[in-house]
Structures are given as structure tokens and as C-alpha cells.
Amino acid sequence: MTTTPDLTELLAQAPSNWGKWGDDDEVGSLNYLTAEQVLAGVGLIRKGALFTLQRLIGDPNGDPVWPGRSPATREMILDESHWDEGGDGPAFPGGLHYADDKINAFLQGSTQYDALGHVWYDGRIYNGYDARTTVGGLDKASVEPIAQRGVAGRAVLLDMARFRGVEHLGAAETFDHTDLEKCAAAQGIEIKPRDILLIRTNHLDLFFQDADAFYGSFCEPGLVYSAELVKWFQDKEIPNLVTDTIANEVTTDPHNGVALVLHNALMRNLGIAFTEICDLEKLAEDCAQDGVYEFFYVAAPLKIHRATGSPVNPVVIK
Ligand code: UVW
């Protein structure tokens, strides 16, 4: 009988960027996004076309979330009915009325940036901070430093669904860095050092077709761990991995049974920022039409003190 290794064992020889940007660093591989990278991205703007990558929060067709999380709920606090006869609408000089609402949302429950301290093993989060610093809120490597910094640079779309000639990748389907390279070559581009990677699977199409079936056999498709893959990300100095799945990688590694290996090998150890649950459909359609798969990407999660992640609406400009 084979047993599932723990992450400590599996990643014992894996590379790490801890300390590379100082003992107090909290933004990891985003440090690769220097002014030069920002300008390289801006230099790709050709036609002034904008694409927003956030999925709708409160989508009438449902919000895909990680099992155990619930979609955001929005509550109306004030609307015109509050000024009906006997209502509690506040009276303002001049007769002002206004609408107010609030949401109750998992900060990881929509298109989001993960904080680098969002996952860990062995009692240490990114950069070696003690995992006890997460208790009651992330004192280290929360989403706040990423939000304070912002993210901008040259980015490429790797349309894995189109490359494989399918509408969407199926549950548990995997690919690796060699597939990304092949996909890039088929698209006529090169993945350059420090590129922000956007990977399209269109897997969430299956959520919108039948949510029960989607969760019934929940195992998202995506990148799968190997020592070579981690080395490729390290050598390429990839700052940010952006995908259209809930968790950016195959949920359970088919080779060893471990869950979310790359969250640890790439995010915890290398400090690569993860952006999840993006909608890449309009962008992919445009790329297929004009054959241009490289562009400027810019995003800034919300500045939320001690948070594990934050909703975001990344923007691509071509
Ligand atoms: C988990 O880490 C469980 O989820 P995600 O990073 O997809 O928000």
C-alpha cells in the first residue's frame, strides 16, 4: 500500500526564495516586477483594448467557490422603501435619499489575490515567518503588502483549452511547464523571464452547466507538481500565476495524492502570487482573433489589514 507523503517530505529538496528580498519581505516574487517590467508591459499596448478579469460577485447563475466556502451575500440596508409612509429613512436637509448595502463575503470567495501567508506546512509561512503569526489575522505576509505595492507587468495568456482543442479542460486534467511552453509556441510567443502567466482552462464552464456535478467529483484541472516544474518557475522568475480555476492547480496531485502542492511549492516557498477564479473568456476570444497573446496586466487587491486574500478586478490592456 502506498501512503500519501506529507508536504515536508515531498518538498524537502524544493527551492525557496526565503530571505532573497530580505528578512522582512512580504511580497515575494512580485519583487521581480521592477519598473523595467512595468514598462515592458506598457510597451505592449497597441490598440487600447481593455479586459477586466473579475467574475461577477452575486452572479445570478452562481458564484464558484472552494468547497466549504460560501458565495458572498449582499444585504440591502437602505433603499427608497425606507422613505415610504412610516419608514425609517433618515431626513436630510434638501430631501436627500440614498441606497446602501453591505456584503458578507469570504475574502477568498471570488476573483482574488491570495496573501503569501495564506497556506503553509511545517509551521512556517512564506519567508520563514512562524505560522502562529496567522492566529487571529495575518501579522506577516497578509494581502495588505501586495495591495500597498500593486501588481503590473508584461503578461502572457496560455490558452490551454484552445491548445488542447476542447471547450474546457475536464476535472483532474493536468499539464506542466513543458505543456505551457508548447502552448506558447503554438500561439507564436515565448514565455519570457518575469512574465505574469495567465492560464485558461475554462473549467468553470462546468460549474455554470451543473454545479452539483461540478462539486460531486471536485478535482479541478491544472498545473501539476514536479521538481522540474518548480525549477522552471524559479528559473523563469515568474512573479504571479493567474488562472480561471478556483485554486490555480490540480486539486489533488494524481502522482502522490497530496492536495494543493503548488500552493506550497510556488506560493509558500518561492513567494509567487496566486490570482484565482478569473474570467479569461473575453480576453481569450480576442487573443484568438488577433493572434496577440502578450499584453500589459495590472491589478491591485483591496488594502485589508491582516487579510488572507482580497477580491480584485485585474485589468489587461492590449
Ligand atoms: C485554498 O487554499 C483552500 O484555496 P484558494 O487558494 O483557492 O483560495
Side-chain angles (χ1 to χ4, degrees):
M1 192 179 89
T2 52
T3 49
T4 304
D6 63 24
L7 286 159
T8 312
E9 192 186 325
L10 185 65
L11 301 179
Q13 308 301 324
S16 149
N17 282 334
W18 293 3
K20 180 168 185 166
W21 295 284
D23 289 346
D24 56 353
D25 178 64
E26 299 181 87
V27 298
S29 292
L30 293 177
N31 283 295
Y32 291 133
L33 293 176
T34 58
E36 198 183 343
Q37 281 311 113
V38 177
L39 294 175
V42 169
L44 293 172
I45 300 176
R46 295 275 182 273
K47 59 182 186 183
L50 257 68
F51 301 88
T52 58
L53 308 186
Q54 189 209 331
R55 284 198 171 276
L56 188 63
I57 293 175
D59 189 330
N61 298 312
D63 293 355
V65 289
W66 179 259
R69 295 183 185 138
S70 46
T73 51
R74 194 186 56 79
E75 184 190 345
M76 208 65 195
I77 303 300
L78 212 51
D79 57 34
E80 179 60 14
S81 70
H82 288 256
W83 285 274
D84 286 349
E85 186 74 31
D88 61 354
F92 285 95
L96 168 76
H97 291 186
Y98 63 93
D100 252 356
D101 51 4
K102 64 179 179 184
I103 62 170
N104 185 352
F106 273 84
L107 292 175
Q108 306 270 342
S110 57
T111 307
Q112 109 245 191
Y113 264 83
D114 282 353
L116 294 185
H118 166 51
V119 295
W120 63 89
Y121 60 94
D122 230 6
R124 301 264 151 205
I125 63 169
Y126 169 70
N127 220 22
Y129 300 120
D130 192 321
R132 299 299 301 175
T133 57
T134 64
V135 175
L138 271 55
D139 289 329
K140 295 289 180 185
S142 78
V143 82
E144 186 188 335
I146 296 177
Q148 297 287 359
R149 184 192 190 283
V151 182
R154 216 191 94 89
V156 293
L157 174 70
L158 300 160
D159 190 339
M160 286 303 300
R162 198 174 300 265
F163 176 59
R164 291 198 166 163
V166 293
E167 274 294 306
H168 48 250
L169 297 197
E173 214 176 308
T174 61
F175 49 89
D176 66 13
H177 58 296
T178 63
D179 298 304
L180 297 184
E181 295 274 24
K182 284 182 210 151
C183 174
Q187 293 174 178
I189 56 163
E190 189 197 332
I191 303 171
K192 297 194 176 162
R194 304 192 170 190
D195 274 354
I196 296 165
L197 302 187
L198 277 62
I199 301 177
R200 173 177 176 264
T201 68
N202 196 25
H203 181 65
L204 291 181
D205 195 25
L206 294 173
F207 165 85
F208 290 105
Q209 281 177 28
D210 183 344
D212 288 341
F214 176 84
Y215 285 117
S217 56
F218 186 80
C219 184
E220 289 195 298
L223 286 166
V224 64
Y225 167 77
S226 68
E228 294 75 23
L229 176 135
V230 178
K231 182 172 172 356
W232 183 87
F233 271 84
Q234 167 85 325
D235 291 349
K236 284 268 182 203
E237 301 187 337
I238 301 300
N240 192 174
L241 176 63
V242 180
T243 87
D244 61 358
T245 61
I246 296 172
N248 271 13
E249 61 175 304
V250 67
T251 310
T252 309
D253 188 321
H255 304 125
N256 51 41
V258 179
L260 300 189
V261 181
L262 295 179
H263 270 63
N264 289 287
L266 300 183
M267 187 200 300
R268 172 195 183 263
N269 293 350
L270 297 186
I272 296 175
F274 275 29
T275 316
E276 301 168 322
I277 323 186
C278 288
D279 182 351
L280 301 176
E281 292 312 291
K282 289 202 174 95
L283 174 64
E285 213 176 282
D286 188 80
C287 293
Q289 251 166 40
D290 68 9
V292 177
Y293 284 86
E294 37 190 19
F295 36 73
F296 181 53
Y297 170 99
V298 61
L302 303 179
K303 297 177 183 177
I304 307 175
H305 191 48
R306 302 181 82 197
T308 68
S310 153
V312 67
N313 186 7
V315 176
V316 159
I317 310 178
K318 288 179 77 178

